[in-house]
Amino acid sequence: MSIERHLVHVAGTAGSGKTTLIERLLESNRSRLLAVARCEACCDRERPAESNAKRDAELARYREAGASSAARYRFPAGEFAHDDFYSTEFMADYSEGILLEGDAPLEYVDLAVHVMRPLPGKQKLLRRAVARGPNPTWEMTGDLARMLAALLQGPSGKRGRHWTLADEHSGLELAQVVVINVRDERERERAESTLREIGRLRSDESVFQDVIGWRGRRTPITAGVADLSDRRDPSLKRVLTRIKRAFNTRA
């Protein structure tokens, strides 16, 4: 009998609250057996490997929060590991849903979640940058290179400016759920400002075309400002409800 399991990927910067969000989800879960894998892309690794040591503090957090099983999965950076990941002992264990935290070992998941902290000072999530032509590492010649250069330069033939995301939040543009984790009420104003920028990823035509384009959909992002340390936070509850819908969906 085949097992249908939906996958949710939780990404974000270090220390943003990814593990805490997963803990809150597991603690509030009553309808599914959920397993969690901490995934790490390693530049010095040639083959994927998994571990589930009982002394691993992060895996212990998953288990204590209610995960049916937990593992750490390391794989070579710069590539996906579909077959190897699905062949792990972790995936052989019975579960009804999979949570992946950290780097993505799979190209496609059912739901992508991004956790972030409020941006410091007056920093912006969306920025204007100058298009400088094709990336020199791309192996393009002839008509393809000229066409791309023309698109980047625009009708005037000059180097145009385009919208881009802050480098540390690359990948947020394709997330369906974004959580801005605040730890102090004084952070909320900055977080709300970033929330408005996140809304522009789908609503502003020029931002959508520059940052997302053919890679994404116009479906609005479910985004919220929440204190992940407060289990009663209303915005946190809304986010958890949205994530749970991914596990409850059946084709």
Side-chain angles (χ1 to χ4, degrees):
M1 180 180 69
S2 62
I3 302 174
E4 181 183 5
R5 293 184 287 190
H6 293 281
L7 294 98
V8 169
H9 177 221
V10 180
T13 53
S16 59
K18 301 184 296 296
T19 303
T20 304
L21 178 66
I22 290 175
E23 285 179 311
R24 299 292 173 259
L25 179 65
L26 293 169
E27 291 165 353
S28 66
N29 171 59
R30 295 291 182 271
S31 59
R32 293 285 182 267
L33 288 175
L34 303 181
V36 189
R38 180 65 172 90
C39 303
E40 301 173 14
C42 306
C43 295
D44 58 350
R45 180 168 290 278
E46 296 182 358
R47 294 288 301 167
E50 66 173 314
S51 63
N52 55 7
K54 292 184 178 180
R55 294 183 179 181
D56 188 312
E58 188 157 16
L59 300 189
R61 288 178 64 179
Y62 299 148
R63 297 185 185 107
E64 290 170 5
S68 60
S69 62
R72 189 175 292 272
Y73 184 72
R74 297 181 174 92
F75 61 99
E79 62 183 71
F80 294 111
H82 302 80
D83 294 340
D84 292 300
F85 181 77
Y86 281 106
S87 299
T88 59
E89 294 182 8
F90 168 79
M91 288 298 287
D93 290 339
Y94 178 77
S95 63
E96 297 174 299
I98 303 292
L99 288 158
L100 307 173
E101 180 187 343
D103 300 317
L106 306 173
E107 187 172 4
Y108 300 107
V109 293
D110 296 287
L111 186 72
V113 180
H114 189 91
V115 184
M116 62 183 295
R117 294 275 292 125
L119 299 180
K122 296 183 179 180
Q123 288 188 23
K124 296 290 186 180
L125 179 67
L126 291 170
R127 303 170 182 179
R128 297 286 278 173
V130 177
R132 300 186 180 280
N135 187 323
T137 62
W138 294 349
E139 295 182 359
M140 295 188 301
T141 57
D143 293 339
L144 180 58
R146 286 190 290 272
M147 287 172 61
L148 181 56
L151 287 172
L152 291 170
Q153 292 173 352
S156 66
K158 299 179 180 179
R159 291 176 176 174
R161 296 179 68 82
H162 66 283
W163 289 104
T164 184
L165 276 180
D167 292 342
E168 62 270 28
H169 293 292
S170 176
L172 177 153
E173 69 275 14
L174 300 180
Q176 293 111 311
V177 177
V178 178
V179 185
I180 306 177
N181 180 21
V182 294
R183 297 170 182 163
D184 187 297
E185 283 301 314
R186 291 171 295 184
E187 296 181 333
R188 283 194 178 267
E189 184 177 351
R190 286 187 284 118
E192 293 290 347
S193 177
T194 302
L195 202 62
R196 291 189 288 272
E197 289 189 275
I198 292 171
R200 292 182 63 193
L201 288 169
R202 298 290 193 274
S203 63
D204 186 305
E205 180 64 26
S206 61
V207 173
F208 179 87
Q209 292 299 334
D210 287 351
V211 179
I212 301 174
W214 59 270
R215 299 178 300 156
R217 301 176 181 177
R218 292 187 180 275
T219 306
I221 298 171
T222 299
V225 176
D227 180 353
L228 298 185
S229 68
D230 182 1
R231 293 172 173 80
R232 299 170 298 178
D233 188 295
S235 186
L236 170 61
K237 292 180 179 180
R238 287 193 293 271
V239 167
L240 295 181
T241 298
R242 172 64 184 92
I243 297 173
K244 289 176 185 177
R245 289 203 332 243
F247 296 119
N248 293 332
T249 300
R250 289 292 179 265

